[in-house]
């Protein structure tokens, strides 16, 4: 039974830690975007890659 | 697109989309907890394997997600990106998200298989066809993730990655049929066997099915969150580049399209004090 307990513990922990890391990454990036949007428009107006005129022409 | 047009912020996500992700997350946690309860306490031990059979409620589930859902989806999305009529960076981001989540599930597959292998076969690892082809799949998709980190224009990166994903996906049917094509230590398919007659019944079958549903929900939640991260990263990445270009222009140093070191003819805005 100890192999079974070890298997469940390791797999569920790995999945949980990865989920936690995903949430942390999403929050960190959302905060970064919020900071950029809060800054004056003249200082920084980011343009997403999919609508970047430099890449659209290719 | 007009460069002066106000770009839609990636923060603008509908309340419905946010709630969908939350509900899928809650459903994933509840169904996984229910699977663990059934798998560890409710289902009976096997006549041959005893309690070791309880690993069946986790190992095939993570393998199903890694091989068929994640890497299968990555291959399909890559194909749709390469197809001229459906070419969109949406497919590229989806493939990237699916591969990252798939790599985590692939690692889980190898670890849970190894933990099962030690008491069942007497070894943690064997160079068996199923095990080796699964490990090769992991290495191929780790290569995919490494390739995405090579600096390049989004379209170039997407095209390269799509070709590599399709190349790597050739290994998926090899993993699936390896237990039929070669003599392996690994047992044959329990559910998706050639006769399509599952060799598992009763509460064990239902718990196995629930484990597939639960881990699929976990995968869908992770995929949605990881996709959102990709959108934010792309938006911020290009924003930083634009900011750097604007900063250089503000300093009076124009980008040098000719590449010959001249700074004059690039149409840089002239600073106020120089006019």
């Amino acid at each position: 039974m100890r192999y079974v307990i070890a298997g469940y513990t390791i797999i569920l922990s790995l999945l949980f830690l990865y989920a936690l890391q995903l949430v942390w990454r999403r929050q960190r990036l959302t905060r970064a975007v919020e900071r950029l949007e809060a800054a004056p428009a003249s200082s920084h107006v980011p343009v997403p890659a999919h609508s970047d005129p430099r890449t659209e022409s290719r | 697109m007009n460069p002066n047009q106000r770009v839609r912020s990636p923060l603008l996500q509908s309340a419905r989309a946010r709630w969908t992700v939350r509900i899928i997350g809650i459903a994933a946690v509840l169904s996984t907890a229910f699977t663990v309860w059934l798998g560890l306490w409710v289902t009976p031990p096997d006549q041959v394997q005893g309690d070791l059979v309880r690993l069946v409620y986790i190992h095939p589930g993570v393998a199903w997600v890694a091989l068929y859902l994640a890497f299968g989806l990555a291959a399909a999305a890559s194909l749709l990106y390469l197809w001229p009529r459906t070419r969109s960076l949406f497919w590229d981001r989806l493939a990237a998200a699916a591969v990252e989540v798939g790599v985590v599930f692939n690692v889980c597959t190898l670890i849970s298989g190894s933990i099962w292998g030690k008491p069942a076969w007497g070894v943690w690892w064997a160079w068996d066809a199923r095990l080796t082809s699964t490990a090769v799949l992991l290495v191929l998709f780790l290569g995919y993730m490494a390739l995405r980190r090579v600096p390049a224009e989004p379209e170039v990166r997407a095209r390269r990655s799509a070709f590599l994903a399709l190349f790597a996906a050739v290994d998926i049917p090899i993993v699936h049929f390896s237990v039929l094509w070669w003599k392996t230590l690994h047992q044959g398919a329990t559910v998706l066997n050639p006769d399509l007659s599952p060799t598992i019944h009763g509460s064990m079958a239902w718990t196995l099915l629930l484990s597939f549903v639960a881990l699929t929900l976990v995968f869908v939640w992770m995929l949605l969150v990881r996709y959102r991260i990709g959108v934010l990263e792309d938006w911020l990445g290009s924003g930083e580049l634009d900011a750097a270009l604007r900063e250089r222009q503000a300093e009076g140093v124009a980008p040098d399209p000719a590449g010959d070191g001249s700074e004059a003819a690039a149409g840089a805005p002239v600073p106020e004090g120089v006019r």
Side-chain angles (χ1 to χ4, degrees):
Chain A
M1 192 70 178
R2 63 195 170 110
Y3 284 102
V4 175
I5 301 295
Y8 274 73
T9 308
I10 292 170
I11 301 309
L12 294 176
S13 302
L14 269 176
L15 293 178
F16 176 72
L17 287 174
Y18 178 64
L20 213 62
Q21 189 246 22
L22 282 178
V23 171
W24 175 75
R25 274 162 79 188
R26 186 181 59 179
Q27 282 180 346
R28 191 171 55 90
L29 288 165
T30 305
R31 275 199 296 270
V33 173
E34 279 169 350
R35 270 200 303 274
L36 279 175
E37 292 208 322
S42 58
S43 66
H44 196 150
V45 184
V47 181
H50 56 79
S51 60
D52 191 336
R54 288 168 310 199
T55 54
E56 272 189 346
S57 59
R58 292 198 181 98
Chain B
M1 179 184 167
N2 178 2
N4 298 321
Q5 187 180 329
R6 183 77 183 169
V7 176
R8 189 174 182 270
S9 165
L11 287 177
L12 293 175
Q13 191 185 23
S14 71
R16 198 172 67 174
R18 279 198 300 272
W19 273 104
T20 304
V21 174
R22 275 180 205 156
I23 288 167
I24 290 172
I26 292 166
V29 169
L30 291 177
S31 56
T32 305
F34 194 47
T35 303
V36 171
W37 176 65
L38 287 176
L40 290 181
W41 286 285
V42 177
T43 53
D46 184 60
Q47 274 192 335
V48 179
Q49 294 198 43
D51 280 326
L52 208 54
V53 78
R54 298 182 194 284
L55 282 168
V56 84
Y57 309 121
I58 202 155
H59 175 69
V62 289
W64 149 260
V65 169
L67 263 70
Y68 305 109
L69 289 187
F71 295 148
L73 178 65
S78 299
L79 198 63
L80 286 166
Y81 177 79
L82 290 175
W83 194 258
R85 286 188 179 186
T86 51
R87 181 162 299 170
S88 158
L89 284 177
F90 164 79
W91 297 118
D92 175 56
R93 285 197 199 103
L94 188 68
V99 167
E100 189 184 293
V101 180
V103 161
V104 172
F105 275 87
N106 198 342
V107 168
C108 289
T109 306
L110 290 172
I111 291 175
S112 58
S114 188
I115 291 171
W116 201 348
K118 178 62 179 166
W121 305 334
V123 287
W124 293 104
W125 179 264
W127 292 105
D128 167 275
R130 171 60 71 85
L131 276 65
T132 307
S133 54
T134 309
V136 168
L137 196 64
L138 175 65
V139 172
L140 285 168
F141 279 106
L142 281 173
Y144 175 97
M145 288 171 68
L147 185 68
R148 291 194 71 87
R149 296 189 72 86
V150 176
E153 289 286 336
E155 281 74 10
V156 176
R157 183 185 66 181
R159 198 169 53 245
R160 283 180 191 160
S161 308
F163 277 119
L164 180 55
L166 289 177
F167 173 73
V170 173
D171 195 28
I172 297 172
I174 296 175
V175 174
H176 181 79
F177 292 110
S178 58
V179 288
L180 300 173
W181 292 344
W182 295 285
K183 278 188 176 179
T184 60
L185 263 177
H186 197 284
Q187 68 172 67
T190 305
V191 179
L192 295 173
N193 51 30
D195 305 329
L196 286 177
S197 57
T199 54
I200 188 167
H201 305 281
S203 64
M204 295 166 107
W206 287 112
T207 309
L208 180 66
L209 185 68
L210 179 66
S211 76
F212 277 62
V213 173
L215 290 164
T216 300
L217 284 170
V218 171
F219 166 72
V220 172
W221 181 84
M222 287 178 171
L223 183 76
L224 291 172
V225 177
R226 179 60 187 80
Y227 178 82
R228 180 107 186 107
I229 289 171
V231 171
L232 292 167
E233 275 176 347
D234 283 357
W235 196 82
L236 277 169
S238 62
E240 281 166 13
L241 177 65
D242 284 346
L245 286 171
R246 218 168 281 117
E247 204 173 295
R248 278 175 66 90
Q249 285 177 342
E251 287 167 2
V253 183
D256 179 13
D260 58 358
S262 62
E263 294 174 353
V270 181
E272 283 296 323
V274 181
R275 279 181 195 145

